[in-house]
Structures are given as C-alpha cells and as structure tokens.
Amino acid sequence: MPERLITHLRHVDLAVPDHARQLEFYTQAWGLTPEHGETGLTFLAAEGSPEQYVLRLRKAAEKRIDLIAFGAATAADVDTLAARLATAGVQLVSEPAALQTPGGGYGFRFFDNEGRTVEISSDVAVRAHRRIEAGESIPVRLSHVVINSAEPEATRAFYERHLGFALSDTLMHPRMGEMMYFLRVNAWHHSLAIARCPHPSLHHASFELRGLDEYMRGTGRLLRAGVEKIWGPGRHLAGNNTFSYFLDPSGNTMEYTTELELVDEDTWHPHLYDFTQPEVSDQWGTANAMNEFVAKRSFNDPDKGLFVAPPV
C-alpha cells in the first residue's frame, strides 16, 4: 500500500433531475445550509463543518454521482498523488491547478476504475462554522459515502493501491460471499465503503449528528415530515455507528448517523462479519429486519455518466 496522502472526505456532488425539489428537501428537512449557488447549481454546507460544502446539487436530465472529493494536506501531496496516478495509467480528468469552486484551493480530478470522477484538493479556505448545540438535530459533517460497485474487489483494490485507503472491516454472506468493504483514510472507521451491486451507483451518503439525542430527534423529525424511511433506527456492528436511512426525492438513500468508531490504526485488525447474523446489522435490534427488499432500495438507478466528467 502506498504512503497515505489523502487526509479526509470533503464532499459528494450529485446530479439530480428535479433540482428545486431536492434543494427544498436538503434545506427544509435534512438540515443543510445553502452557501453558494446559481440557477440549477447549489453548494450545501453542514453548520458544524469547516468544509465549504458537503453536498453539491446540479440539475441534470439523469441522476448520478457527479463527484466524490477528498482532501490532502499540501499542494505537494496533491502533485505527488496526480503523478502517481498518471504513472499507473489512471486517466486524469484535469491536471493539478487552482480550483474554481467555493473556497478555491489546489487540486485535480481523475476517473476511478469504474469511471466515477474523484477530486483531491488542498488549501481550500476554511468555512466559518460553529458548534452544534445540544438538541440541535442538524448534520455536523459528512461522515462517509458508500458506493455500489459491479466489481467491488477491483474497486477496493484501486483505492487501496493508488490512494492508500485501508480496510477496516468486511461484511459477508454465507452464500453470496463478501458484500461490503469499509475503507478508511484516517482514524474514522470508514470514510468510503464499497457495496456489491449489479451496477455502479450511489448506495448512500451519511451525515453525522451531534450525539444520540440529536440523532433520534432528527430521525423523528423526518418521520413526522413524511420522509420515507428505509431502515432504522439502529446501531451497526461494523463501525459501531447508529443508522437511520431515508430516501430523498430523487430516490437516493441518505443516512443520519452518530458515534462512528475511531480506531487505533496501529493495532486494528479487520473483521469479517456475517451480516445474516442480526446483531451485525443492528446491535440494538430496534430496526426493521434487513432483507433483500430493503437492500434493493439502496441499489439505486445505474450511473450513466461513467467516464464522463461533470461540469466544474
């Protein structure tokens, strides 16, 4: 595994057919703040996060993941990663340069093995953020992103080999084999996870709340607002985090979570968990049962923009 130069997850960018409806959902129901934007393009921040934005919505004919963005510590690290990827034959979308997105910075973009666009950047201006208060049930930060992959073993290998991601845990099924890989770039149990699926797409994006009380208040607020819940509330074994999964108006799965595990990277050994065991999916036993019908809700529509870079 190469030296790890990626420091953290920055944001996820989504193309959506009904921009206005999505924007209303994420601001009025989900609890994000629109910081920048223009017609058909909005950058949404989490009040507790120093990132300029954690979610970008772009109006488009078809929904897809436009971009997953990660941070690096320095411009030199950005240059090193770009050179490493180019030498390995990875297709760059753009060479390292000044970024034109909110907060500026220095970065580049490339396609991963399945054609998703990934950005790595440094020196992005820190957003003026604040401490989320007790009882305030809005996202503190973007916790992690889970992608569906038709080739999860190859996708895991890509992120480990080229970007220094480390495996934290694996979920498996006795008949279907390994089904999900949890990967980290820092002490958080996972910033990215890869799920087995018939096609590449977004599985879910997860937003961390302040604590258990705020997580439950947020879950209840969405339920009272009539937002469709897929699964939860409960607590996973892998990552030890809480979960409540909901569908946004475009059919993307979004998660409220809290208490994601911080691991000791010097001593951590990955587990292989059988997710047919009820306590693996939900330690508490409070969530609705995970079955094939629940799982398929997060298969999402296939991404049709693979190996096509989104507009800046």
Side-chain angles (χ1 to χ4, degrees), residues 168-235:
S168 291
D169 285 319
T170 301
L171 296 185
M172 58 80 68
H173 188 283
R175 295 188 305 277
M176 295 183 285
E178 295 179 349
M179 301 299 292
M180 184 175 287
Y181 301 111
F182 296 89
L183 304 179
R184 67 183 188 275
V185 289
N186 48 40
W188 291 110
H189 181 271
H190 58 285
S191 296
L192 180 73
I194 302 162
R196 186 178 301 279
C197 183
H199 52 258
S201 60
L202 177 69
H203 186 283
H204 73 269
S206 180
F207 296 80
E208 180 182 325
L209 278 78
R210 184 181 187 272
L212 279 175
D213 182 70
E214 292 76 19
Y215 154 77
M216 288 302 295
R217 286 174 182 267
T219 297
R221 185 185 69 252
L222 292 170
L223 290 172
R224 287 170 176 164
V227 179
E228 183 178 355
K229 179 177 66 71
I230 300 175
W231 192 31
R235 184 185 287 276

Side-chain angles (χ1 to χ4, degrees), residues 23-138:
L23 180 58
E24 180 182 19
F25 171 81
Y26 283 107
T27 56
Q28 301 303 311
W30 201 253
L32 298 180
T33 302
E35 286 286 319
H36 314 273
E38 55 193 66
T39 302
L41 184 68
T42 307
F43 300 85
L44 297 160
E47 283 295 302
S49 172
E51 295 297 329
Q52 289 286 326
Y53 58 101
V54 295
L55 177 67
R56 187 185 84 164
L57 299 176
R58 179 179 66 88
K59 183 176 176 58
E62 295 176 330
K63 72 175 184 179
R64 68 159 186 169
I65 302 174
D66 265 348
L67 178 76
I68 303 174
F70 297 95
T74 66
D77 288 346
V78 170
D79 287 336
T80 298
L81 281 164
R84 178 190 294 169
L85 290 165
T87 300
V90 175
Q91 184 180 349
L92 299 189
V93 174
S94 62
E95 297 286 342
L99 299 179
Q100 303 304 309
T101 43
Y106 181 76
F108 73 102
R109 295 178 177 183
F110 61 92
F111 293 128
D112 75 4
N113 61 302
E114 289 191 301
R116 300 174 194 85
T117 304
V118 180
E119 179 183 274
I120 299 174
S121 63
S122 67
D123 302 306
V124 177
V126 172
R127 174 182 175 271
H129 56 292
R130 64 180 178 83
R131 178 183 178 87
I132 303 302
E133 301 298 331
E136 197 174 5
S137 58
I138 60 174

Side-chain angles (χ1 to χ4, degrees), residues 279-309:
E279 65 275 10
V280 171
S281 294
D282 177 17
Q283 296 183 64
W284 290 343
T286 53
N288 46 311
M290 169 52 67
N291 55 42
E292 62 179 307
F293 303 105
V294 173
K296 284 182 178 179
R297 300 304 298 275
S298 294
F299 278 7
N300 216 330
D301 301 321
D303 272 353
K304 297 181 180 179
L306 301 176
F307 292 105
V308 176

